[in-house]
Amino acid sequence: MSKFQKSHQIVIDDSGMRDRVDIPGRIVIGICSIIILGLIYLGIQAIIYIV
Amino acid sequence: MNKIDAIKKRTYEVVEASKKGDYVSKAYDSMIFFAVIIGLIPLTVKVDNPYTRLIDLSTVVIFIIDYILRVFTADYKMGIKSYKAYIAYAFQLMAIIDLLSIVPIVYYIFPHMVFFGLFRIFRVFRILKLARYSKTMRILENVIRKVKSQLMAVLLLTVSYISASAMIIFQTEPEMFNSFFDALYWATISITTIGYGDISPTTNVGRLLTMVSALVGVAVIALPSGIITAAYMQEITRKKTGHEL
């Protein structure tokens, strides 16, 4: 397999994976991301408060 | 497979350690990871502030939901389609750790009960939740399970020696110790070769016992390390050979 073919293969696989994340999956990813951001915000604020 | 089973199976895949390409499970694992790490911040302060309280409350809520989801999918985890799976799951080590990590909620429900404040120390167990996501930790868990009997034998030997030396020193130097607990404390500190020096023997018998304890301690401390290291190396070699085959 040539270098171009290899990179092309990766692109196909990658987009395939993305397609497999259904709507409920995307919602879960969204909720998890919001919670992670919220926790990071609280963590930073708590450290600032302590310092 | 009906719809509820399909949801349950997918939930099980999401809450367990993520597989390659499963972005939903990866996002869930990352959320738990951040909740564990940030949830430890309140343990580093003497007096709570509004942010640490909010961190405490939000992480407890996350872990309660996580625990409910894990119990809900216990039949997939245990591989049995029966109510027995839920009972068996509750007694798994990781399930106990999950339960201990949500115990601090009792303090928030009954804030006026000072005794329940002690439950907040269980927050430290949350760090063990990370073991679920580490391959190396899973190997270590298997190794410890394999050499459990040898470790138990060493533990029994150590506890017997500590008890015996505590009894001897308590009888030979009674004025040194207020209670037998003090003698046990001295014996443990001596056998582990820590030697704080807050309680030190004055008689020759006591000093001789301290010397023996220090020498026994070197062997006793080295034994479990040796057992675990040997088993760990064996496990790594077995895994490598398995891959090569």
Side-chain angles (χ1 to χ4, degrees), chain B residues 17-203:
Chain B
S18 61
K19 289 193 172 69
K20 205 178 170 191
D22 192 345
Y23 297 117
V24 183
S25 185
K26 268 198 178 83
Y28 186 85
D29 291 355
S30 308
M31 182 187 73
I32 296 293
F33 176 80
F34 277 101
V36 169
I37 300 297
I38 292 168
L40 292 173
I41 293 175
L43 282 171
T44 62
V45 291
K46 272 188 185 175
V47 184
D48 275 346
N49 62 54
Y51 294 108
T52 52
R53 268 193 291 273
L54 211 54
I55 288 173
D56 246 352
L57 204 61
S58 50
T59 49
V60 163
V61 170
I62 292 169
F63 294 139
I64 287 174
I65 294 167
D66 179 59
Y67 188 73
I68 292 168
L69 291 177
R70 286 183 194 280
V71 171
F72 172 64
T73 58
D75 47 353
Y76 278 95
K77 171 88 180 163
M78 305 307 288
I80 327 162
K81 279 271 173 198
S82 156
Y83 70 93
K84 284 176 191 166
Y86 300 99
I87 299 166
Y89 177 74
F91 293 100
Q92 293 276 304
L93 179 67
M94 286 313 287
I96 294 168
I97 289 169
D98 286 339
L99 189 64
L100 286 176
S101 68
I102 59 172
V103 163
I105 193 73
V106 181
Y107 177 71
Y108 290 99
I109 299 169
F110 308 101
H112 303 297
M113 304 278 276
V114 182
F115 172 73
F116 288 140
L118 287 174
F119 287 136
R120 297 171 77 208
I121 202 71
F122 287 131
R123 286 178 295 187
V124 85
F125 284 106
R126 290 173 187 173
I127 204 154
L128 297 173
K129 283 167 86 78
L130 297 180
R132 190 177 271 135
Y133 305 107
S134 163
K135 210 183 263 180
T136 318
M137 286 301 282
R138 278 204 295 274
I139 294 173
L140 203 60
E141 192 190 327
N142 285 339
V143 164
I144 290 173
R145 202 168 283 158
K146 271 184 191 165
V147 293
K148 200 168 64 182
S149 53
Q150 288 99 310
L151 291 176
M152 284 307 284
V154 175
L155 183 72
L156 191 71
L157 187 79
T158 315
V159 170
S160 310
Y161 183 81
I162 287 173
S163 311
S165 58
M167 282 173 206
I168 296 169
I169 198 91
F170 194 57
Q171 291 303 319
T172 50
E173 298 197 17
E175 69 284 352
M176 235 15 227
F177 305 99
N178 293 325
S179 65
F180 184 66
F181 180 76
D182 279 355
L184 276 175
Y185 164 76
W186 168 86
T188 312
I189 295 301
S190 299
I191 201 169
T192 51
T193 68
I194 292 172
Y196 285 129
D198 52 344
I199 304 171
S200 46
T202 46
T203 62

Side-chain angles (χ1 to χ4, degrees), chain A residues 6-26:
Chain A
K6 268 185 188 172
S7 62
H8 196 64
Q9 188 69 34
I10 291 162
V11 170
I12 290 165
D13 286 347
D14 192 27
S15 62
M17 298 255 183
R18 254 177 245 159
D19 285 345
R20 257 181 268 156
V21 180
D22 50 2
I23 302 293
R26 284 178 193 183

Side-chain angles (χ1 to χ4, degrees), chain A:
Chain A
M1 198 182 275
S2 71
K3 209 173 178 181
F4 170 76
Q5 278 173 317
K6 268 185 188 172
S7 62
H8 196 64
Q9 188 69 34
I10 291 162
V11 170
I12 290 165
D13 286 347
D14 192 27
S15 62
M17 298 255 183
R18 254 177 245 159
D19 285 345
R20 257 181 268 156
V21 180
D22 50 2
I23 302 293
R26 284 178 193 183
I27 294 168
V28 172
I29 291 175
I31 293 169
C32 288
S33 309
I34 291 166
I35 292 172
I36 290 168
L37 289 174
L39 284 170
I40 291 171
Y41 170 76
L42 283 176
I44 292 168
Q45 287 298 329
I47 290 166
I48 291 169
Y49 198 96
I50 296 161
V51 175

